[in-house]
Amino acid sequence: MKKAVTGFLLGSLLMAGGAALAAEPADATMEKDAVKETAAKVSQQAVPAEKRKGTMVFVPLDTRPVCKDYTVKTMQAAGWDIVAPPDEMLSSLSHSGDPDKLLDWLEENAKEAVAVVASADSLIYGGLVDSRTHHTDLTVLQSRVERLLSLKKGGAGPDIYMFITIMRSPKRSAAPVEPVYYEQWGPQLFRQGALQDKSELGKLSRKEEKELKALNHEIPRNVIADYYGRRKINMQTTELLLHGIETGVFTNLLIGRDDTSPLSQAHREALHLGSLVNELPKSKIRFFAGADQLGLVLLTQAANRLMFTTPLVYTEYAAGKGGETVPTYEDNTIANSARQHIYASGAFPVRKAKNADFVLAVNTPYNGKTLEASDAKNNGAADKYTKAFARKVQSYLDDGKKVIVADSKYGNGADNALVKELFRRGIAYKLAAYGGWNTSGNSLGFALAQGMESTYFTGNAGRDFLNVRYLDDWAYQANARMDVYKNVIWPNHMPNSGFTPEQQAVAEKAIKESIVKTAEPIMGDAALEYDFKLPWSRMFEVQPVKKKN
């Protein structure tokens, strides 16, 4: 009985606000009192607040901490019980995911959940890396999609939120996260895709036409057949998944564009898929850059719907190009990404800060060009623009606003100057959330969702999550990682990934020393409260683990 009542009330809320979400006009704005009044009317009929939270089933992209552990802990800290599959079923450092076992597990565990949030990449291919390297026949993939489309037979069961990615187009990469040939032919494949994309847009020059013809002859036919064959199969599979929205099986679907560029094969495929997505209701499907943040974004949407809340979010950008910045690894502006992430998390963008429940403060480069965090220009010296941005953040906090900082000035790590300014001003721990760890979309989406959930955190949870982000995004990604490369990895001829146990122990010891050296003068004793692990035996990501008292 309780499930039926909850479903009826949720439907009422969606009917009340659905038209505004679907229309999404360019000058969209909503008065705070009106939104809260609508939510209050529905909430009065809902079950008591202390009984609203329940169990959500979550199938992550893989076992990387940001995809699984950090996401699960965030939702648990906000009061939700999260049930996730055992690690042996999920894609990890040592093995591929098992989509058929995951589907069995999901069908069994979804029965008693209030919501399901799941990675279609895991359930169809085995995981994110598996989606780029599989050799699975299309008929097998289609049968797995059919199982997903049958999760709500007869319309019964929990709301289902699904996310999937378009296969990425990196300029450079290598096995095991790409096919073996990518190390040799990756740059040429990227360029070929970019030129094909440009050709379809009608912008290819004669010189570029000759270059494309040369690449078509230079790249081995078996490489082209494998690479583009897999991409075609993945696109056909994703198109089938869209039926989940058409039939009402899925409450929401997110399609992430993982590691792309304004001109690339991924962008080319996104344009095709976008034409199909545009025929579906915008309130039920979102389409933007990023992959690793999608799980937490959808869990937050599910939580907001179940709690009958629609947070209002105002976005503030740093001076200069601001929201018109097109970040590295992405193919659209940060302003578009922010807007789509806000909707995807179950919130609503507003044009005036005074009406907002949250301020999303996005740190962008003045000239609109996102360098790597390891670049020499990320030297920690705060210019007038960084100081002005930090002052703006502080002013919002002084006004009583909950502020979320998305640090998108650099790729793959934080802005040293901004982090130091936040600590110097004494506001680093007053933020609802902070993110600056990977691509702009990854950082923005994860911080936005975690910031919304911070309203429900108790005890030291909020501070602990901020410590993890500062130690990871700033101390490690922007500083210690390159320091350890230069002083340990390269001099000892160690690999970037695939460490032996002995090599990993050496790397982790050096990482801890470097992080403490960077962070302790700024963060104090907090830097000493953690050990640091390489969860996938590679230098790309670190996991701060709080020591037990």
Side-chain angles (χ1 to χ4, degrees):
M1 181 65 182
K2 187 182 295 183
K3 284 185 180 180
V5 172
T6 302
F8 173 77
L9 292 173
L10 180 55
S12 300
L13 179 63
L14 292 177
M15 287 177 67
L21 287 173
E24 202 178 318
D27 60 346
T29 183
M30 184 180 292
E31 291 296 328
K32 187 173 185 179
D33 291 343
V35 175
K36 290 193 172 180
E37 181 181 353
T38 302
K41 287 178 180 178
V42 181
S43 295
Q44 287 171 5
Q45 307 171 63
V47 292
E50 65 272 13
K51 294 183 179 179
R52 285 185 204 148
K53 297 189 179 182
T55 299
M56 288 197 269
V57 167
F58 175 50
V59 180
L61 199 53
D62 50 45
T63 63
R64 285 174 296 153
V66 73
C67 295
K68 184 171 181 281
D69 289 354
Y70 295 164
T71 294
V72 169
K73 287 178 180 177
T74 296
M75 298 308 297
Q76 288 174 334
W80 296 93
D81 295 321
I82 305 296
V83 177
D87 282 357
E88 56 264 27
M89 292 185 188
L90 296 167
S91 178
S92 72
L93 164 71
S94 59
H95 62 265
S96 297
D98 190 325
D100 295 316
K101 285 185 178 179
L102 283 171
L103 283 162
D104 292 340
W105 181 92
L106 177 60
E107 290 167 348
E108 179 62 30
N109 284 272
K111 297 174 183 177
E112 301 302 320
V114 295
V116 170
V117 175
S119 162
D121 284 308
S122 290
L123 293 163
I124 296 171
Y125 309 109
L128 183 62
V129 172
D130 303 291
S131 73
R132 307 171 193 154
T133 57
H134 72 87
H135 291 91
T136 310
D137 189 84
L138 178 60
T139 56
V140 175
L141 300 178
Q142 289 173 334
S143 70
R144 292 169 182 166
V145 173
E146 288 300 323
R147 290 182 70 177
L148 293 178
L149 296 176
S150 301
L151 282 173
K152 293 187 72 166
K153 292 179 180 177
D159 288 337
I160 298 170
Y161 301 79
M162 200 69 59
F163 60 101
I164 195 166
T165 62
I166 292 177
M167 187 173 157
R168 72 177 186 171
S169 295
K171 293 181 180 179
R172 291 176 181 81
S173 191
V177 297
E178 302 290 344
V180 173
Y181 56 73
Y182 211 88
E183 185 170 11
Q184 179 180 359
W185 294 105
Q188 293 93 326
L189 286 168
F190 174 84
R191 182 61 177 165
Q192 183 185 48
L195 292 174
Q196 289 174 155
D197 187 15
K198 195 172 183 179
S199 177
E200 290 187 5
L201 294 171
K203 298 179 180 180
L204 205 65
S205 68
R206 289 186 179 181
K207 182 178 179 181
E208 288 169 330
E209 286 179 3
K210 292 180 180 179
E211 183 185 359
L212 179 56
K213 288 180 180 178
L215 285 169
N216 292 341
H217 285 90
E218 178 186 358
I219 302 172
R221 290 186 179 182
N222 63 314
V223 169
I224 290 176
D226 181 78
Y227 181 69
Y228 288 99
R230 184 178 299 106
R231 300 194 76 103
K232 181 179 180 181
I233 286 174
N234 286 12
M235 285 291 290
Q236 291 174 312
T237 304
T238 300
E239 288 175 19
L240 285 175
L241 204 64
L242 298 180
H243 293 304
I245 293 296
E246 291 177 326
T247 59
V249 173
F250 302 153
T251 300
N252 205 274
L253 174 66
L254 294 189
I255 302 176
R257 302 197 292 273
D258 180 30
D259 198 347
T260 185
S261 300
L263 288 173
S264 64
Q265 181 63 24
H267 177 258
R268 183 185 178 198
E269 291 166 2
L271 290 176
H272 166 71
L273 199 57
S275 64
L276 303 178
V277 168
N278 286 337
E279 300 300 315
L280 300 170
K282 289 184 178 179
S283 61
K284 292 182 176 294
I285 188 166
R286 296 287 163 186
F287 189 45
F288 49 75
D292 300 347
Q293 78 276 25
L294 301 183
L296 185 57
V297 168
L298 269 186
L299 282 165
T300 299
Q301 181 187 146
N304 281 330
R305 285 176 178 265
L306 289 164
M307 294 294 287
F308 302 96
T309 60
T310 305
L312 306 181
V313 182
Y314 173 74
T315 307
E316 178 79 43
Y317 297 98
K321 201 80 178 279
E324 294 308 304
T325 299
V326 178
T328 307
Y329 312 114
E330 300 189 4
D331 59 4
N332 212 327
T333 65
I334 289 181
N336 179 273
S337 178
R339 185 177 182 82
Q340 294 301 321
H341 275 90
I342 290 168
Y343 281 117
S345 61
F348 198 92
V350 293
R351 298 178 65 187
K352 296 181 180 179
K354 68 179 182 179
N355 293 335
D357 299 301
F358 295 92
V359 172
L360 174 62
V362 186
N363 184 33
T364 50
Y366 186 82
N367 64 1
K369 299 188 182 301
T370 52
L371 303 173
E372 290 296 293
S374 58
D375 192 275
K377 291 184 179 179
N378 191 14
N379 56 20
D383 58 23
K384 62 181 180 180
Y385 306 117
T386 302
K387 291 177 181 178
F389 182 78
R391 280 197 303 271
K392 196 67 176 176
V393 169
Q394 185 166 17
S395 70
Y396 284 126
L397 290 169
D398 291 343
D399 289 341
K401 292 295 183 184
K402 298 180 181 70
V403 182
I404 299 163
V405 171
D407 193 353
S408 296
K409 187 172 183 177
Y410 294 96
N412 290 311
D415 177 2
N416 279 312
L418 175 62
V419 172
K420 290 179 180 179
E421 273 291 297
L422 296 175
F423 277 94
R424 186 183 71 79
R425 291 172 177 271
I427 59 175
Y429 292 114
K430 294 181 180 179
L431 302 179
Y434 168 88
W437 55 281
N438 200 353
T439 68
S440 176
N442 290 158
S443 298
L444 187 154
F446 197 93
L448 176 68
Q450 193 169 68
M452 287 186 194
E453 295 305 325
S454 71
T455 301
Y456 307 102
F457 295 164
T458 58
N460 293 323
R463 189 181 184 92
D464 287 344
F465 286 132
L466 284 166
N467 273 333
V468 168
R469 297 269 54 90
Y470 291 134
L471 291 168
D472 186 338
D473 309 1
W474 168 60
Y476 179 69
Q477 304 288 351
N479 295 282
R481 179 164 58 182
M482 186 53 64
D483 177 49
V484 174
Y485 268 130
K486 289 179 178 178
N487 294 298
V488 177
I489 302 298
W490 295 336
N492 289 291
H493 306 289
M494 291 169 60
N496 296 337
S497 62
F499 294 135
T500 65
E502 294 77 15
Q503 289 172 332
Q504 183 158 333
V506 170
E508 288 176 347
K509 180 176 182 294
I511 285 168
K512 182 174 182 177
E513 291 172 354
S514 185
I515 288 177
V516 170
K517 180 180 67 176
T518 298
E520 189 179 14
I522 307 298
M523 298 177 64
D525 291 343
L528 306 175
E529 297 173 0
Y530 292 80
D531 288 320
F532 301 92
K533 305 298 181 184
L534 295 173
W536 273 35
S537 285
R538 62 182 189 179
M539 290 290 289
F540 188 73
E541 64 267 294
V542 75
Q543 182 174 16
V545 179
K546 195 170 186 180
K547 299 174 184 176
K548 295 181 180 179
N549 294 330

